[in-house]
Amino acid sequence: MPRTKEQYEQMRIATREKIQAAAMQLFVQKGFGSTNVQDIADAAGISIGLLYRHYKSKEKLFNELVDFALAGMAQQMEYFESNEVSPKQAMDQFVHEIYNDMMTGEQFANLLILMQQSFLTGGGAAVNHVEVTRVSEQLFAATAKLIKRGQERGEFRSGNPDEMVLLFYSTIHGLAAMKMMLQHNFQMPSPVALTSFLYKEGE
């Protein structure tokens, strides 16, 4: 019985997801420059020809992964700016999502490291560094505004919001690197530990 269009589309999506997962793991472990297309195909369990049907080059694959990370950052920024919940509730939700992602898999940590590689190694010749910088700065600014609103409401500790943002994201990126380095010996700090410098005591 021939496959339906829906079945072919599901197969196409499943193959792309395998390629993306394999590429992300290799880019993080070996670096962009040391990873070749054959490595990715082997790790994904597919032929190199099938990989090329989905991605014409490893640069395009790398860029798509970076775009995925940027989309997540933009979505989080919009949530911080939406005022749907209190600043503390918004930060709590964000931190719990980070905690759960770090506890249950490697994708979030890999995405953070991939973003760092896009800056430090120039991975992906066509990566739009201007866009990466723009979205990153917007997320940092949105987080600083969230902290400032939380301070005005008496939910957050006093202090320079920009410095607090820098400390917060530096901690998250550092934890992503530690997770990759320590593997099974990694122990993710609790959400309370991650926000202890943000919230007033007793909050």
Side-chain angles (χ1 to χ4, degrees):
M1 185 175 181
R3 293 188 176 94
T4 65
K5 289 183 178 180
E6 289 76 13
Q7 288 174 322
Y8 276 115
E9 179 62 15
Q10 289 175 354
M11 291 173 61
R12 187 188 71 83
I13 293 172
T15 300
R16 288 181 72 89
E17 289 177 346
K18 284 200 303 183
I19 294 170
Q20 291 167 0
M24 188 182 302
Q25 193 73 30
L26 287 169
F27 288 149
V28 168
Q29 292 177 347
K30 299 176 60 175
F32 177 83
S34 298
T35 300
N36 60 47
V37 178
Q38 186 66 63
D39 293 333
I40 298 171
D42 291 343
I46 62 173
S47 69
I48 194 168
L50 180 56
L51 189 150
Y52 276 124
R53 286 175 58 185
H54 290 271
Y55 295 100
K56 299 302 181 184
S57 67
K58 71 172 182 177
E59 286 81 8
K60 290 185 180 298
L61 176 51
F62 184 92
N63 291 339
E64 184 169 304
L65 293 173
V66 171
D67 287 343
F68 178 76
L70 287 175
M73 293 166 64
Q75 185 177 18
Q76 187 61 48
M77 175 187 66
E78 291 174 2
Y79 179 67
F80 279 170
E81 294 176 338
S82 67
N83 295 320
E84 293 179 10
V85 296
S86 75
K88 183 177 182 298
Q89 289 173 315
M91 182 59 73
D92 276 344
Q93 179 176 327
F94 184 41
V95 170
H96 276 86
E97 288 176 358
I98 291 172
Y99 177 81
N100 290 332
D101 287 345
M102 294 280 274
M103 288 289 290
T104 58
E106 297 181 347
Q107 185 182 43
F108 180 77
N110 285 340
L111 282 173
L112 290 181
I113 294 173
L114 202 69
M115 294 294 289
Q116 292 174 351
Q117 285 188 4
S118 74
F119 281 104
L120 300 177
T121 68
V127 164
N128 188 342
H129 293 282
V130 173
E131 183 68 6
V132 172
T133 301
R134 183 185 69 82
V135 176
S136 299
E137 289 178 347
Q138 287 183 340
L139 177 60
F140 296 163
T143 309
K145 289 179 181 177
L146 183 82
I147 292 173
K148 186 175 181 179
R149 291 201 307 272
Q151 290 171 334
E152 292 169 350
R153 293 168 61 110
E155 297 176 341
F156 286 63
R157 294 177 183 271
S158 60
N160 185 316
D162 293 326
E163 292 179 354
M164 297 166 84
V165 165
L166 183 61
L167 178 58
F168 176 74
Y169 285 111
S170 294
T171 300
I172 300 304
H173 279 267
L175 287 169
M178 292 297 292
K179 180 177 175 65
M180 294 298 100
M181 184 170 62
L182 297 177
Q183 296 293 320
H184 298 298
N185 292 322
F186 175 76
Q187 184 173 352
M188 181 66 184
S190 69
V192 172
L194 292 174
T195 55
S196 61
F197 75 98
L198 290 173
Y199 301 153
K200 286 188 173 180
E201 292 184 11
E203 289 292 328

